[in-house]
């Protein structure tokens, strides 16, 4: 994929050091990508940490678990509403200061969460955190794409989403275990300090990129009219509704299956490990066989959620969760890479739109899961998720083929060496 023409990249700051030669440029690119990986790690950790601590949070704030789930819903709702507009509205601003500001905002939100004396304050803190999350993810993937050579969209996305995978492997399980050991408030407090440290590191390690002179809300309008983007958005929303309806209440699911409270964090590690394998596979396949790989992954997610619905006992429940991790781990890379391929001229708007779609699914999934949990019990939650995954499979099969074909906007013709879709 060609580097977007509406994002000039004059070298300044740390990036200038890379001008001496290809080796230096590659080293600077890796440092920048790894810095974004660390930021994504903290971002996803603070987003998903409540899912492992909902019972403890609900007890502390004196609300039912289903109501405590609104902490996830409100966070996701802000991202859903703001990621796409922020990606377009901030396109003219220098990119690095925006990322630093987003990490600082995360830190403030986490501090308020840790000090919240009632549910209303905690909810307000999560709303603020969701706003920062919208800003960060509207910028991060497009930033990463500008750090790599043309045609490496999948690689760039893998680095960013790899941070999210490490969060599932280490951040969320460790935060859950820490919260169970010393309290959920301290877990959020430590995250706040980590955001401050990483914001300072990001300021010095990331290359400085300017904004786009043409970056206005019209960019979002163009993306919305792009062939294939509607299919990407629809698949994203439906799959996230199904998956996060289940994952938001994963601690309740595991406890119901007989997993002791002290083992919930380690059990989430199984999910994190397979999620990491999934995102690695996503990075390998996203630029090669996007359509075929997407069909296999969605089919796998359907089967995994079905297994979770049928699971009885500790081992089947953990195995089903691990299978969900493998299948869903590929989705962020596949879906973001698809959006960036169909709209290479507006990467921030495309990335923001996909992020919004993810969070419509996350927030809606949390609400859906709460409703199903209250009326039908925890076993019905993954069953509903499996049904929605089937709907996602239908959309991939019969939606516009432009969504999941290789380099659909770059003019590449199928032939020798072309992606096998």
């Amino acid at each position: 994929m060609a580097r977007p023409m509406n994002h000039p990249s004059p070298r300044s700051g740390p990036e200038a050091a890379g001008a001496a030669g290809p080796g230096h440029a590659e080293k600077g690119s890796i440092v920048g990508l790894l810095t974004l990986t660390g930021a994504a790690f903290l971002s996803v950790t603070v987003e998903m940490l409540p899912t492992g601590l909902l019972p403890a949070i609900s007890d502390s704030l004196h609300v039912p678990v289903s109501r405590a789930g609104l902490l996830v819903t409100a966070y996701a709702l802000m991202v859903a509403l703001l990621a796409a507009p922020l990606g377009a509205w901030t396109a003219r601003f220098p990119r690095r200061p925006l990322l630093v500001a987003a990490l600082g905002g995360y830190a403030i939100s986490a501090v308020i969460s840790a000090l919240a004396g009632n549910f209303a304050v905690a909810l307000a803190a999560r709303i603020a955190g969701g706003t920062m999350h919208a800003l960060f993810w509207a910028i991060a993937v497009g930033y990463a794409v500008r750090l790599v050579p043309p045609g490496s969209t999948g690689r760039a996305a893998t680095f960013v989403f790899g941070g999210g995978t490490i969060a599932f492997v280490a951040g969320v399980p460790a935060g859950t275990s820490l919260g169970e050991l010393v309290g959920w408030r301290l877990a959020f407090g430590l995250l706040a300090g980590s955001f401050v440290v990483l914001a300072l590191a990001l300021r010095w390690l990331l290359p400085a990129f300017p904004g786009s002179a043409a970056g206005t809300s019209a960019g979002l309008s163009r993306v919305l009219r792009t062939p294939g983007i509607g299919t990407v958005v629809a698949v994203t929303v439906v799959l996230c509704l199904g998956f996060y309806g289940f994952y938001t209440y994963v601690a309740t699911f595991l406890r119901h299956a007989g997993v002791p409270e002290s083992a919930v964090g380690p059990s989430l590690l199984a999910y994190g490990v397979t999620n990491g394998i999934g995102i690695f596979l996503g990075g390998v396949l996203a630029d090669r066989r996007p359509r075929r790989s997407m069909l296999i992954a969605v089919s796998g997610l359907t089967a995994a959620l079905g297994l979770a619905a049928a699971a009885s006992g500790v081992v089947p429940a953990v195995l089903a969760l691990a299978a969900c991790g493998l299948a869903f781990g590929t989705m962020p890379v596949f879906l973001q890479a698809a959006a960036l391929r169909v709209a290479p001229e507006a990467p921030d708007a495309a990335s923001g739109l996909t992020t919004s779609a993810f969070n419509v699914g996350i927030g809606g999934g949390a609400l859906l899961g709460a409703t199903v949990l209250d009326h039908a019990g925890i076993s019905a939650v993954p069953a509903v998720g499996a049904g929605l995954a089937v709907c996602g499979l239908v959309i991939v099969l019969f939606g516009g083929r432009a969504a999941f074909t290789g380099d659909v906007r770059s003019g590449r013709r199928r032939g020798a060496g072309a992606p096998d879709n």
Side-chain angles (χ1 to χ4, degrees):
M1 186 185 78
R3 188 179 296 276
M5 296 303 293
N6 66 326
H7 283 280
S9 301
R11 298 180 184 270
S12 60
E15 189 185 15
H24 291 287
E26 178 67 16
K27 182 177 179 180
S29 171
I30 293 297
V31 170
L33 289 170
L34 289 176
T35 304
L36 289 172
T37 299
F41 164 76
L42 289 182
S43 170
V44 174
T45 298
V46 78
E47 176 189 19
M48 301 309 301
L49 184 58
T51 62
L53 295 171
L54 276 185
I57 293 172
S58 67
D59 288 344
S60 176
L61 299 178
H62 308 294
V63 295
V65 171
S66 58
R67 188 178 178 193
L70 291 175
L71 297 175
V72 177
T73 302
Y75 191 103
L77 178 62
M78 298 310 297
V79 183
L81 292 174
L82 296 176
L86 284 175
W89 295 340
T90 64
R92 282 192 278 187
F93 293 90
R95 316 317 285 158
R96 189 171 62 189
L98 285 174
L99 285 176
V100 173
L103 295 188
Y106 273 126
I108 294 171
S109 169
V111 167
I112 297 172
S113 295
L115 299 176
N118 55 58
F119 181 74
V121 174
L123 186 62
R126 292 291 289 177
I127 289 172
T131 303
M132 294 302 102
H133 198 87
L135 178 61
F136 174 80
W137 285 99
I139 300 169
V141 178
Y143 207 121
V145 168
R146 296 169 69 180
L147 290 170
V148 298
S152 299
T153 299
R155 175 194 172 201
T158 299
F159 268 91
V160 178
F161 289 113
T165 297
I166 298 169
F168 281 115
V169 172
V172 177
T176 299
S177 296
L178 179 65
E180 291 166 351
L181 182 65
V182 299
W184 65 272
R185 297 178 186 277
L186 180 58
F188 275 94
L190 291 175
L191 274 175
S194 300
F195 274 115
V196 172
V197 171
L198 191 59
L200 295 174
L202 186 150
R203 169 63 182 81
W204 292 106
L205 296 177
L206 263 190
F209 289 127
S212 167
T216 67
S217 58
L220 181 58
S221 300
R222 287 195 299 270
V223 171
L224 289 170
R225 294 193 299 268
T226 301
I229 198 68
T231 299
V232 175
V233 170
V235 171
T236 302
V237 170
V238 170
L239 292 179
C240 288
L241 276 172
F243 176 74
Y244 282 102
F246 165 62
Y247 191 79
T248 301
Y249 301 96
V250 67
T252 304
F253 167 77
L254 291 171
R255 294 294 301 280
H256 177 77
V259 177
E261 182 178 357
S262 60
V264 170
S267 296
L268 293 177
L269 180 62
Y271 170 87
V273 170
T274 56
N275 189 265
I277 296 171
I279 203 166
F280 172 77
L281 292 174
V284 170
L285 299 171
D287 296 321
R288 298 181 183 180
R289 299 174 176 85
R291 180 176 174 81
R292 183 183 305 173
S293 300
M294 188 67 186
L295 289 170
I296 293 172
V298 178
S299 299
L301 180 62
T302 303
L305 288 168
L307 288 174
S312 60
V314 173
V315 173
V318 174
L319 289 177
L321 182 61
C324 287
L326 179 63
F328 196 78
T330 63
M331 298 299 172
V333 175
F334 286 163
L335 294 166
Q336 279 279 19
L340 291 169
R341 265 195 303 269
V342 299
E345 73 285 352
D348 292 331
S351 181
L353 184 61
T354 310
T355 299
S356 289
F358 261 98
N359 283 274
V360 168
I362 292 171
L367 284 174
L368 176 64
T371 301
V372 176
L373 177 63
D374 284 343
H375 290 87
I378 188 63
S379 297
V381 175
V384 172
L388 285 165
V390 171
C391 295
L393 183 62
V394 171
I395 296 172
V396 176
L397 280 170
F398 299 105
R401 290 187 63 90
F404 298 104
T405 56
D407 298 314
V408 295
R409 298 294 300 277
S410 67
R412 178 186 294 180
R413 296 185 178 183
R414 292 290 302 274
D420 176 10
N421 298 321

